[in-house]
Amino acid sequence: MLVDSAPDMAVAGQAEDGHRALELTRELRPDVVVMDIRMPGLDGIEATRRIADDPELGEVRVLVLTTFDDDESVLAALRAGAAGFLVKDTRPAELLDAIRVVAAGDALLSPGPTARLVARVVRLPETVAPPLAAGSALVAELSAREREVLALVGRGMNNAEIGGVLGLSPLTVKTHVSRILGKLGIRDRPQLVVTAYESGLVRPGDAAAD
């Protein structure tokens, strides 16, 4: 009802579990999939991973619904290729705005909550997903400027904010981010945040303030 009330979006389909979500995504090719994590059968994390890994679904973005008391699953969803996450008590207007952000191809990374979440979880034992391939060894292959940009992405800054810190234009920052993604073999910005923490470029307490 909420989505259909917005003039610029519509519900393409609804699924009761991860298997059906994957089927409908392949059939309907929606711009955004709003994915729950805990579902019967195929859970939202694996469904997200299969969507992200399917080259025919490259334009489909996944926005995960979660709660902050399930941190490990949130990190697993970001590793799986989710474009971002929302807590389930998000206000209606914020939910609609989040869908628009993800549909436009941007990552939903609220600086404070996202960075704090990753900072907590990267110190926990791996239980639900293997770590990203882009660890410290690959980060070492980045240029000094690229490492600076990655560290600021990890702190939750957007391109304009990073440009302000480094004295670069947002377009130049965007170019650096694209190169970093390519070098590390990472799909999008949320996974860069995880990598920044896992590689040690960002440490707990470095997150940008709300």
Side-chain angles (χ1 to χ4, degrees), residues 2 7 55 84 99 102 109 111 119 142 154 162 169 176-177 207:
L2 177 63
I99 294 173
V102 172
L109 289 175
L142 300 178
I162 294 171
S169 71
H176 281 304
V177 171

Side-chain angles (χ1 to χ4, degrees), residues 14-197:
Q14 300 181 68
E16 65 276 9
D17 58 39
H19 285 294
R20 184 59 177 155
L22 191 57
E23 291 174 357
L24 285 178
T25 299
R26 289 170 173 159
E27 176 185 342
L28 301 172
R29 306 296 172 90
D31 297 307
V32 177
V33 175
V34 181
M35 184 80 75
D36 199 355
I37 287 182
R38 295 186 178 180
M39 295 183 290
L42 188 71
D43 65 30
I45 294 170
E46 182 59 27
T48 296
R49 181 177 294 108
R50 294 186 189 185
I51 290 172
D53 288 346
D54 190 334
E56 295 186 359
L57 300 178
E59 300 301 315
V60 177
R61 309 278 286 176
V62 178
L63 180 60
V64 169
L65 283 172
T66 187
T67 58
F68 278 111
D69 60 2
D70 192 16
D71 291 348
E72 298 96 328
S73 293
V74 174
L75 185 61
L78 295 178
R79 284 174 171 150
F85 69 89
L86 289 174
V87 292
K88 291 184 177 179
D89 60 355
T90 298
R91 290 178 294 181
E94 292 176 343
L95 172 59
L96 294 178
D97 286 342
I99 294 173
R100 293 185 183 102
V101 167
V102 172
D106 295 323
L108 185 71
L109 289 175
S110 178
T114 302
R116 285 196 301 270
L117 171 70
V118 175
R120 288 200 304 270
V121 178
V122 293
R123 293 175 290 171
L124 299 176
E126 183 59 58
T127 57
V128 288
L132 290 170
S136 57
L138 284 179
V139 170
E141 297 182 6
L142 300 178
S143 69
R145 176 64 83 191
E146 288 167 346
R147 288 196 294 273
E148 289 178 325
V149 171
L150 176 58
L152 295 176
V153 169
R155 292 176 62 182
M157 293 186 182
N158 60 34
N159 290 349
E161 292 167 338
I162 294 171
V165 171
L166 299 179
L168 304 172
S169 71
L171 182 58
T172 299
V173 174
K174 182 178 180 180
T175 298
H176 281 304
V177 171
S178 295
R179 288 174 178 169
I180 294 168
L181 289 169
K183 285 185 177 182
L184 300 183
I186 293 176
R187 176 184 170 99
D188 53 24
R189 208 173 182 109
Q191 293 189 358
L192 286 183
V193 175
V194 177
T195 301
Y197 276 93

